[in-house]
Amino acid sequence: MKKKFFIGLLTAMLLYSNSLYAISPTMLNSYKLSRRLAEIKIKEEIIKKDNKLIKINLKIPKISGMADKELQNKLNRTFRDKIISFSDNLATMAQRYSQDSQEYDLPIYPYQASTDYQVHYNKNNLLSLTITYYEYTGGAHGNYVKEAFNINLRTGKKFSLADLLGKNNSYQKTINKEIQEEIKEHQELYFADDVQNLKALSKDSNFYLQDNELVIYFQIYEIAPYSTGTPEFKIPLKLFEF
């Protein structure tokens, strides 16, 4: 229960600003047929710190090659600000714990904050990448949250499942059917109650794109134990009719 609380708190902290990026619904095909932009590249900035209170190892994605430099800088600030905020918040927690440990004679160990990212899709005017935020604050293992950034490179706006597939009225049923079928093949990996109560996905469900596939994922503890990791369900885009 404690672990689920911390994951929920971390998720809320990282994802609170998603509503700022909403765009109007449009079909995937419209992106595929749109004018191609200049190829962009993703480099990384690395920040490392190590002291008695906290170990920090941050990998921050950095876009280059966009014609619209103002938009490029805005996107890069978004990535960097979120990651730095995550690290700063954990450093503050580490400082408070150090003070408490001295006052109450608690064991002293360094906290850990690290981030990594993965680019899943970078073409057809779309960028789809995920950033993983890992924290260790004691206990048997650390915790992590994966945040997806699905961005329309023409506007810099994030798009949701509804934006991507909203004109396909049955997309939620298709996704849920595929997820349920895969879960049935490996039921031992999931929480029975949470899987049974799995309902229609919301427009804010976690997802990313990769070649010819839509990938729906869940955070740790959301529908499965820590040992399962972040469950991912790969759904062929050909299943969605437009």
Side-chain angles (χ1 to χ4, degrees):
M1 189 70 178
K2 180 181 178 183
K3 294 295 185 182
K4 280 194 173 184
F5 171 76
F6 280 115
I7 293 299
L9 183 62
L10 180 57
T11 303
M13 178 183 73
L14 295 174
L15 305 183
Y16 75 97
S17 61
N18 278 357
S19 61
L20 297 177
Y21 300 97
I23 61 175
S24 58
T26 185
M27 293 188 300
L28 183 62
N29 280 354
S30 67
Y31 286 113
K32 290 183 177 179
L33 296 174
S34 61
R35 177 179 58 85
R36 291 182 62 85
L37 302 182
E39 180 181 359
I40 70 167
K41 296 181 179 180
I42 311 294
K43 301 179 180 179
E44 68 182 32
E45 176 186 0
I46 297 178
I47 298 176
K48 291 186 177 183
K49 296 180 182 179
D50 190 349
N51 56 52
K52 65 179 182 179
L53 298 182
I54 189 169
K55 295 181 179 180
I56 295 174
N57 185 5
L58 308 176
K59 292 183 179 179
I60 305 173
K62 190 172 184 179
I63 297 173
S64 64
M66 289 182 65
D68 188 337
K69 299 304 179 185
E70 182 177 352
L71 178 56
Q72 175 179 290
N73 291 338
K74 180 180 179 180
L75 292 173
N76 286 333
R77 282 196 304 271
T78 297
F79 300 144
R80 196 177 195 281
D81 288 350
K82 284 207 164 192
I83 289 174
I84 295 299
S85 177
F86 159 73
S87 177
D88 287 348
N89 286 336
L90 203 60
T92 299
M93 291 173 60
Q95 179 65 46
R96 291 174 180 169
Y97 176 78
S98 176
Q99 295 171 354
D100 290 343
S101 65
Q102 295 177 24
E103 182 176 353
Y104 300 106
D105 194 25
L106 300 174
I108 298 177
Y109 47 81
Y111 279 24
Q112 295 179 32
S114 65
T115 61
D116 203 352
Y117 69 92
Q118 185 174 358
V119 179
H120 304 281
Y121 193 90
N122 180 16
K123 55 187 175 182
N124 299 326
N125 302 336
L126 301 178
L127 174 65
S128 187
L129 64 82
T130 53
I131 297 177
T132 301
Y133 306 80
Y134 171 85
E135 66 175 27
Y136 178 75
T137 59
H141 54 71
N143 290 306
Y144 57 93
V145 166
K146 180 183 292 186
E147 181 179 12
F149 291 83
N150 300 298
I151 302 171
N152 176 352
L153 293 175
R154 295 161 67 89
T155 64
K157 304 295 185 181
K158 289 183 74 173
F159 56 89
S160 68
L161 275 177
D163 296 321
L164 190 68
L165 303 172
K167 291 189 177 181
N168 181 321
N169 295 327
S170 64
Y171 80 89
Q172 288 187 333
K173 292 181 180 179
T174 300
I175 291 172
N176 276 304
K177 179 176 179 291
E178 292 297 310
I179 292 176
Q180 293 287 4
E181 288 181 355
E182 186 169 342
I183 286 176
K184 287 180 181 179
E185 295 181 3
H186 305 281
Q187 295 184 38
E188 71 281 2
L189 298 178
Y190 302 93
F191 296 137
D193 291 341
D194 288 342
V195 169
Q196 187 175 1
N197 294 327
L198 189 63
K199 297 181 180 179
L201 299 170
S202 73
K203 67 177 183 179
D204 297 319
S205 296
N206 294 316
F207 78 97
Y208 61 84
L209 294 176
Q210 60 186 26
D211 284 342
N212 302 316
E213 291 180 322
L214 170 70
V215 181
I216 303 292
Y217 70 90
F218 296 84
Q219 305 295 351
I220 56 172
Y221 296 118
E222 194 171 359
I223 63 170
Y226 186 89
S227 57
T228 300
T230 53
E232 295 189 341
F233 302 90
K234 298 179 180 180
I235 303 171
L237 288 173
K238 66 182 180 181
L239 295 181
F240 304 100
E241 298 179 358
F242 297 97

